[in-house]
Amino acid sequence: MSKIDIGELRKALGSYATGIAVVTTVDTTGKPVGMTISSFASVSLSPPLVLWSIDRKSDLFETFAQASHYAIHILRKDQEDVSNNFATDKNDKFARQAYETGLSNLPLLPDYIARFQCAIEHRYDGGDHIILVGRILDMQHKPAEPLLFHDGQYKTVS
Ligand SMILES: Cc1cc2nc3c(=O)[nH]c(=O)nc-3n(C[C@H](O)[C@H](O)[C@H](O)COP(=O)(O)O)c2cc1C
């Protein structure tokens, strides 16, 4: 088997176009936290399950690994600023971000295409990530054009 170059692997994996989501939860002190992700995927309709994966090197790894719930927000095409804010390693990503409080104190962003409030159902080892499978407890859907990510860049459908 040929040796896999990590840079080439990253580029090849980036050729798979995805949407962009922001996942949020509260830490053990009750502080709202969140991060931008592209690893979101639907898993099951009945029961309603979704998944995403978090890098073990993330500052938020321990918080999400121990959380009982998370909220996923699928972003609209005009929400690049929201994606950029939640993709930084800033400690205060909610400083200028309005939010509501949901189930289990989840911080909920007011703008999204779809929003899922989930309880963690399974945690799986995924190499340098862990895979967090959540059961959807509540959802909202406001159809609009999505923000996409492809080859390391934001894109839109049209
Ligand atoms: C488009 C995009 C997709 C991302 N997808 C993921 C992901 O699926 N999982 C992950 O752990 N980090 C992902 N990241 C990186 C996190 O957003 C980033 O590491 C995090 O917000 C930095 O803060 P932290 O150190 O507090 O985690 C992504 C970043 C961008 C810009």
Side-chain angles (χ1 to χ4, degrees):
M1 196 177 75
S2 63
K3 204 158 178 285
I4 292 176
D5 177 87
I6 291 211
E8 289 304 313
L9 176 60
R10 189 190 295 272
K11 273 193 223 155
L13 293 173
S15 68
Y16 189 63
T18 66
I20 302 242
V22 169
V23 59
T24 60
T25 193
V26 275
D27 72 11
T28 50
T29 69
K31 187 180 125 182
V33 297
M35 69 192 295
T36 298
I37 59 162
S38 55
S39 54
F40 172 79
S42 55
V43 175
S44 165
L45 287 175
S46 182
L49 301 176
V50 294
L51 68 74
W52 65 286
S53 61
I54 182 167
D55 194 328
R56 293 181 184 276
K57 291 194 298 294
S58 166
D59 290 348
L60 295 175
F61 178 78
E62 290 302 329
T63 298
F64 276 109
Q66 288 168 22
S68 60
H69 294 74
Y70 59 71
I72 301 253
H73 310 76
I74 311 293
L75 299 190
R76 293 191 311 242
K77 73 172 180 186
D78 63 340
Q79 291 186 288
E80 238 183 83
D81 55 338
V82 176
S83 173
N84 288 336
N85 178 45
F86 282 97
T88 63
D89 57 6
K90 274 188 306 190
N91 189 16
D92 61 344
K93 297 177 192 174
F94 277 91
R96 279 177 298 281
Q97 171 64 60
Y99 65 97
E100 306 150 15
T101 302
L103 298 173
S104 218
N105 280 332
L106 286 173
L108 303 179
L109 310 188
D111 297 317
Y112 51 81
I113 296 176
R115 185 169 77 182
F116 306 104
Q117 296 183 65
C118 304
I120 298 254
E121 186 94 351
H122 304 288
R123 298 177 180 86
Y124 298 110
D125 176 39
D128 57 14
H129 284 57
I130 61 166
I131 300 157
L132 297 172
V133 175
R135 178 186 286 253
I136 298 171
L137 303 178
D138 195 16
M139 62 161 280
Q140 286 80 37
H141 185 202
K142 300 189 280 193
E145 295 250 325
L147 183 61
L148 304 179
F149 201 67
H150 177 237
D151 279 348
Q153 294 185 322
Y154 292 120
K155 305 227 168 126
T156 55
V157 175
S158 51

CSV table of all heavy atoms in Angstrom, one decimal, residues 20-25 33-38 40 52 64 70-75 79 81-87 93-94 97 107 109 111 114-116:
chain,number,residue,atom,x,y,z
A,20,ILE,N,-22.2,24.1,6.0
A,20,ILE,CA,-21.4,24.6,7.2
A,20,ILE,C,-22.5,24.7,8.3
A,20,ILE,O,-23.6,25.1,8.1
A,20,ILE,CB,-20.8,26.0,7.0
A,20,ILE,CG1,-19.9,25.9,5.8
A,20,ILE,CG2,-20.2,26.5,8.2
A,20,ILE,CD1,-18.5,26.3,6.1
A,21,ALA,N,-22.0,24.3,9.5
A,21,ALA,CA,-22.9,24.3,10.7
A,21,ALA,C,-22.1,24.9,11.8
A,21,ALA,O,-20.9,24.9,11.8
A,21,ALA,CB,-23.4,22.9,11.0
A,22,VAL,N,-22.9,25.4,12.8
A,22,VAL,CA,-22.3,25.8,14.1
A,22,VAL,C,-22.9,25.0,15.1
A,22,VAL,O,-24.1,24.8,15.2
A,22,VAL,CB,-22.5,27.3,14.4
A,22,VAL,CG1,-22.1,27.7,15.8
A,22,VAL,CG2,-21.7,28.2,13.4
A,23,VAL,N,-22.0,24.3,15.9
A,23,VAL,CA,-22.5,23.5,17.0
A,23,VAL,C,-22.2,24.2,18.3
A,23,VAL,O,-21.2,24.8,18.5
A,23,VAL,CB,-21.9,22.1,17.0
A,23,VAL,CG1,-20.4,22.1,17.1
A,23,VAL,CG2,-22.4,21.2,18.0
A,24,THR,N,-23.2,24.2,19.2
A,24,THR,CA,-23.1,24.9,20.5
A,24,THR,C,-23.4,24.0,21.7
A,24,THR,O,-24.2,23.0,21.5
A,24,THR,CB,-24.0,26.1,20.5
A,24,THR,OG1,-25.4,25.7,20.4
A,24,THR,CG2,-23.7,27.1,19.4
A,25,THR,N,-22.9,24.4,22.8
A,25,THR,CA,-23.3,23.8,24.1
A,25,THR,C,-22.9,24.7,25.2
A,25,THR,O,-22.5,25.9,24.9
A,25,THR,CB,-22.6,22.4,24.3
A,25,THR,OG1,-23.3,21.7,25.3
A,25,THR,CG2,-21.1,22.5,24.5
A,33,VAL,N,-20.6,28.0,24.5
A,33,VAL,CA,-19.5,27.8,23.6
A,33,VAL,C,-20.0,27.3,22.3
A,33,VAL,O,-21.1,26.7,22.2
A,33,VAL,CB,-18.4,26.9,24.3
A,33,VAL,CG1,-17.9,27.4,25.6
A,33,VAL,CG2,-19.0,25.5,24.5
A,34,GLY,N,-19.2,27.4,21.3
A,34,GLY,CA,-19.6,26.9,20.0
A,34,GLY,C,-18.4,26.8,19.0
A,34,GLY,O,-17.4,27.5,19.2
A,35,MET,N,-18.6,26.1,18.0
A,35,MET,CA,-17.6,26.0,16.9
A,35,MET,C,-18.2,25.7,15.6
A,35,MET,O,-19.3,25.1,15.5
A,35,MET,CB,-16.5,25.0,17.3
A,35,MET,CG,-16.9,23.5,17.2
A,35,MET,SD,-15.7,22.5,18.0
A,35,MET,CE,-14.4,22.6,16.8
A,36,THR,N,-17.5,26.2,14.5
A,36,THR,CA,-17.9,25.9,13.1
A,36,THR,C,-17.5,24.5,12.7
A,36,THR,O,-16.4,24.1,13.0
A,36,THR,CB,-17.2,26.9,12.2
A,36,THR,OG1,-17.7,28.2,12.6
A,36,THR,CG2,-17.5,26.7,10.8
A,37,ILE,N,-18.4,23.8,12.1
A,37,ILE,CA,-18.1,22.4,11.7
A,37,ILE,C,-18.6,22.2,10.2
A,37,ILE,O,-19.5,22.8,9.8
A,37,ILE,CB,-18.6,21.4,12.6
A,37,ILE,CG1,-20.2,21.5,12.7
A,37,ILE,CG2,-18.0,21.4,14.0
A,37,ILE,CD1,-20.9,20.2,13.2
A,38,SER,N,-17.9,21.2,9.6
A,38,SER,CA,-18.3,20.7,8.3
A,38,SER,C,-18.6,19.2,8.3
A,38,SER,O,-19.0,18.6,7.3
A,38,SER,CB,-17.3,21.1,7.2
A,38,SER,OG,-16.1,20.6,7.5
A,40,PHE,N,-20.8,17.6,10.0
A,40,PHE,CA,-22.2,17.2,10.2
A,40,PHE,C,-22.7,16.2,9.2
A,40,PHE,O,-22.4,16.3,8.0
A,40,PHE,CB,-23.0,18.4,10.2
A,40,PHE,CG,-24.5,18.1,10.3
A,40,PHE,CD1,-25.1,17.8,11.5
A,40,PHE,CD2,-25.3,18.1,9.2
A,40,PHE,CE1,-26.5,17.6,11.6
A,40,PHE,CE2,-26.7,17.9,9.2
A,40,PHE,CZ,-27.2,17.6,10.5
A,52,TRP,N,-21.5,14.4,14.2
A,52,TRP,CA,-20.4,15.3,13.8
A,52,TRP,C,-19.2,14.9,14.5
A,52,TRP,O,-19.3,14.0,15.4
A,52,TRP,CB,-20.7,16.8,14.1
A,52,TRP,CG,-20.8,17.2,15.5
A,52,TRP,CD1,-21.9,16.9,16.3
A,52,TRP,CD2,-19.9,17.9,16.3
A,52,TRP,NE1,-21.6,17.4,17.6
A,52,TRP,CE2,-20.4,18.0,17.6
A,52,TRP,CE3,-18.7,18.5,16.0
A,52,TRP,CZ2,-19.7,18.6,18.6
A,52,TRP,CZ3,-18.0,19.1,17.1
A,52,TRP,CH2,-18.5,19.2,18.3
A,64,PHE,N,-17.1,19.5,24.8
A,64,PHE,CA,-18.1,18.8,23.9
A,64,PHE,C,-18.0,17.3,24.3
A,64,PHE,O,-19.1,16.6,24.2
A,64,PHE,CB,-17.8,19.0,22.5
A,64,PHE,CG,-18.5,20.3,22.0
A,64,PHE,CD1,-17.7,21.4,21.6
A,64,PHE,CD2,-19.8,20.3,21.8
A,64,PHE,CE1,-18.3,22.5,21.2
A,64,PHE,CE2,-20.5,21.5,21.4
A,64,PHE,CZ,-19.7,22.6,21.0
A,70,TYR,N,-26.1,19.0,22.6
A,70,TYR,CA,-25.6,20.0,21.7
A,70,TYR,C,-26.7,20.5,20.8
A,70,TYR,O,-27.6,19.8,20.6
A,70,TYR,CB,-24.3,19.6,21.0
A,70,TYR,CG,-24.4,18.3,20.1
A,70,TYR,CD1,-25.1,18.4,18.9
A,70,TYR,CD2,-23.8,17.1,20.5
A,70,TYR,CE1,-25.2,17.3,18.1
A,70,TYR,CE2,-23.8,16.0,19.6
A,70,TYR,CZ,-24.5,16.1,18.5
A,70,TYR,OH,-24.6,15.0,17.6
A,71,ALA,N,-26.4,21.7,20.2
A,71,ALA,CA,-27.4,22.2,19.2
A,71,ALA,C,-26.6,22.4,17.9
A,71,ALA,O,-25.4,22.9,18.0
A,71,ALA,CB,-28.0,23.5,19.7
A,72,ILE,N,-27.2,22.0,16.8
A,72,ILE,CA,-26.5,22.2,15.5
A,72,ILE,C,-27.4,23.2,14.7
A,72,ILE,O,-28.6,23.1,14.7
A,72,ILE,CB,-26.5,20.9,14.7
A,72,ILE,CG1,-25.8,19.8,15.5
A,72,ILE,CG2,-26.0,21.1,13.3
A,72,ILE,CD1,-24.4,19.4,15.0
A,73,HIS,N,-26.7,24.2,14.1
A,73,HIS,CA,-27.3,25.2,13.3
A,73,HIS,C,-26.7,25.1,11.9
A,73,HIS,O,-25.5,25.4,11.7
A,73,HIS,CB,-27.1,26.6,13.8
A,73,HIS,CG,-27.3,26.8,15.3
A,73,HIS,ND1,-26.5,26.3,16.3
A,73,HIS,CD2,-28.4,27.3,16.0
A,73,HIS,CE1,-27.0,26.5,17.5
A,73,HIS,NE2,-28.1,27.1,17.3
A,74,ILE,N,-27.5,24.8,10.9
A,74,ILE,CA,-27.1,24.8,9.5
A,74,ILE,C,-27.2,26.2,9.0
A,74,ILE,O,-28.2,26.9,9.1
A,74,ILE,CB,-28.0,23.9,8.6
A,74,ILE,CG1,-28.3,22.5,9.3
A,74,ILE,CG2,-27.5,23.8,7.2
A,74,ILE,CD1,-27.1,21.7,9.4
A,75,LEU,N,-26.0,26.7,8.5
A,75,LEU,CA,-26.0,28.2,8.1
A,75,LEU,C,-26.5,28.5,6.7
A,75,LEU,O,-26.3,27.7,5.8
A,75,LEU,CB,-24.5,28.7,8.2
A,75,LEU,CG,-23.9,28.6,9.6
A,75,LEU,CD1,-22.5,29.3,9.6
A,75,LEU,CD2,-24.8,29.1,10.7
A,79,GLN,N,-24.3,33.9,5.9
A,79,GLN,CA,-23.8,33.8,7.3
A,79,GLN,C,-22.3,33.5,7.4
A,79,GLN,O,-21.9,32.9,8.4
A,79,GLN,CB,-24.6,32.8,8.1
A,79,GLN,CG,-26.1,33.3,8.4
A,79,GLN,CD,-26.8,32.3,9.3
A,79,GLN,OE1,-27.2,31.2,8.9
A,79,GLN,NE2,-27.0,32.7,10.5
A,81,ASP,N,-20.0,35.5,8.1
A,81,ASP,CA,-19.4,36.1,9.3
A,81,ASP,C,-19.6,35.3,10.5
A,81,ASP,O,-18.7,35.2,11.4
A,81,ASP,CB,-20.0,37.6,9.5
A,81,ASP,CG,-21.5,37.6,9.5
A,81,ASP,OD1,-22.1,36.6,9.0
A,81,ASP,OD2,-22.1,38.5,10.1
A,82,VAL,N,-20.8,34.6,10.6
A,82,VAL,CA,-21.0,33.7,11.8
A,82,VAL,C,-20.1,32.5,11.7
A,82,VAL,O,-19.5,32.2,12.7
A,82,VAL,CB,-22.5,33.2,11.7
A,82,VAL,CG1,-22.8,32.3,12.9
A,82,VAL,CG2,-23.5,34.4,11.8
A,83,SER,N,-19.9,32.0,10.5
A,83,SER,CA,-19.0,30.9,10.4
A,83,SER,C,-17.6,31.3,10.8
A,83,SER,O,-16.9,30.6,11.6
A,83,SER,CB,-19.0,30.4,8.9
A,83,SER,OG,-18.0,29.4,8.8
A,84,ASN,N,-17.1,32.5,10.3
A,84,ASN,CA,-15.8,32.9,10.7
A,84,ASN,C,-15.6,33.1,12.2
A,84,ASN,O,-14.6,32.8,12.8
A,84,ASN,CB,-15.4,34.2,9.9
A,84,ASN,CG,-15.2,34.0,8.4
A,84,ASN,OD1,-14.9,32.9,8.1
A,84,ASN,ND2,-15.4,35.0,7.6
A,85,ASN,N,-16.6,33.7,12.8
A,85,ASN,CA,-16.6,34.0,14.2
A,85,ASN,C,-16.4,32.7,15.0
A,85,ASN,O,-15.5,32.6,15.9
A,85,ASN,CB,-17.8,34.7,14.7
A,85,ASN,CG,-17.9,34.9,16.2
A,85,ASN,OD1,-16.9,35.4,16.8
A,85,ASN,ND2,-19.0,34.7,16.8
A,86,PHE,N,-17.2,31.7,14.6
A,86,PHE,CA,-17.1,30.4,15.4
A,86,PHE,C,-16.0,29.5,14.9
A,86,PHE,O,-15.8,28.4,15.5
A,86,PHE,CB,-18.5,29.7,15.3
A,86,PHE,CG,-19.5,30.3,16.3
A,86,PHE,CD1,-20.4,31.2,15.8
A,86,PHE,CD2,-19.5,30.0,17.6
A,86,PHE,CE1,-21.3,31.8,16.7
A,86,PHE,CE2,-20.4,30.6,18.5
A,86,PHE,CZ,-21.3,31.5,18.1
A,87,ALA,N,-15.2,29.9,13.9
A,87,ALA,CA,-14.1,29.1,13.5
A,87,ALA,C,-12.8,29.6,14.1
A,87,ALA,O,-11.7,29.0,13.9
A,87,ALA,CB,-14.0,29.1,12.0
A,93,LYS,N,-16.6,33.8,21.8
A,93,LYS,CA,-17.3,33.8,20.5
A,93,LYS,C,-18.7,34.3,20.6
A,93,LYS,O,-19.3,34.8,19.6
A,93,LYS,CB,-17.3,32.4,19.9
A,93,LYS,CG,-15.9,31.9,19.6
A,93,LYS,CD,-15.9,30.5,19.1
A,93,LYS,CE,-14.6,29.8,19.1
A,93,LYS,NZ,-14.6,28.4,18.7
A,94,PHE,N,-19.3,34.3,21.8
A,94,PHE,CA,-20.7,34.8,22.0
A,94,PHE,C,-20.7,36.3,22.4
A,94,PHE,O,-21.8,36.8,22.7
A,94,PHE,CB,-21.4,33.9,23.1
A,94,PHE,CG,-22.0,32.7,22.5
A,94,PHE,CD1,-21.2,31.5,22.4
A,94,PHE,CD2,-23.2,32.7,21.9
A,94,PHE,CE1,-21.7,30.3,21.9
A,94,PHE,CE2,-23.8,31.5,21.3
A,94,PHE,CZ,-23.0,30.4,21.3
A,97,GLN,N,-22.6,37.9,19.7
A,97,GLN,CA,-23.6,37.0,19.0
A,97,GLN,C,-24.8,36.8,19.9
A,97,GLN,O,-24.8,36.3,21.0
A,97,GLN,CB,-22.9,35.6,18.9
A,97,GLN,CG,-23.8,34.5,18.4
A,97,GLN,CD,-24.4,34.7,17.0
A,97,GLN,OE1,-23.7,34.9,16.0
A,97,GLN,NE2,-25.7,34.8,16.9
A,107,PRO,N,-27.3,27.2,24.2
A,107,PRO,CA,-27.3,28.5,23.5
A,107,PRO,C,-27.8,28.3,22.1
A,107,PRO,O,-27.1,27.5,21.3
A,107,PRO,CB,-25.9,29.0,23.6
A,107,PRO,CG,-25.0,27.8,23.8
A,107,PRO,CD,-25.9,26.7,24.4
A,109,LEU,N,-28.6,29.9,18.3
A,109,LEU,CA,-28.5,31.1,17.4
A,109,LEU,C,-29.9,31.3,16.8
A,109,LEU,O,-30.6,30.4,16.4
A,109,LEU,CB,-27.5,30.8,16.3
A,109,LEU,CG,-26.1,30.3,16.8
A,109,LEU,CD1,-25.1,30.3,15.6
A,109,LEU,CD2,-25.5,31.1,17.9
A,111,ASP,N,-30.6,32.7,13.9
A,111,ASP,CA,-30.6,32.6,12.4
A,111,ASP,C,-30.0,31.3,11.9
A,111,ASP,O,-28.9,31.0,12.3
A,111,ASP,CB,-30.0,33.8,11.7
A,111,ASP,CG,-30.7,35.1,12.1
A,111,ASP,OD1,-31.9,35.1,12.1
A,111,ASP,OD2,-29.9,36.1,12.4
A,114,ALA,N,-31.7,25.3,9.4
A,114,ALA,CA,-32.2,24.2,10.2
A,114,ALA,C,-31.5,24.3,11.6
A,114,ALA,O,-30.3,24.6,11.6
A,114,ALA,CB,-32.1,22.9,9.6
A,115,ARG,N,-32.2,24.0,12.6
A,115,ARG,CA,-31.6,24.0,14.0
A,115,ARG,C,-32.1,22.7,14.7
A,115,ARG,O,-33.3,22.5,14.7
A,115,ARG,CB,-32.1,25.2,14.7
A,115,ARG,CG,-31.4,25.4,16.1
A,115,ARG,CD,-31.7,26.8,16.6
A,115,ARG,NE,-33.1,26.9,17.1
A,115,ARG,CZ,-33.6,28.1,17.6
A,115,ARG,NH1,-32.9,29.2,17.6
A,115,ARG,NH2,-34.8,28.1,18.1
A,116,PHE,N,-31.1,22.0,15.2
A,116,PHE,CA,-31.5,20.7,15.9
A,116,PHE,C,-30.9,20.7,17.3
A,116,PHE,O,-29.7,20.9,17.5
A,116,PHE,CB,-30.8,19.5,15.2
A,116,PHE,CG,-31.1,19.4,13.7
A,116,PHE,CD1,-30.2,19.8,12.7
A,116,PHE,CD2,-32.4,19.0,13.3
A,116,PHE,CE1,-30.5,19.8,11.4
A,116,PHE,CE2,-32.7,18.9,11.9
A,116,PHE,CZ,-31.7,19.3,11.0
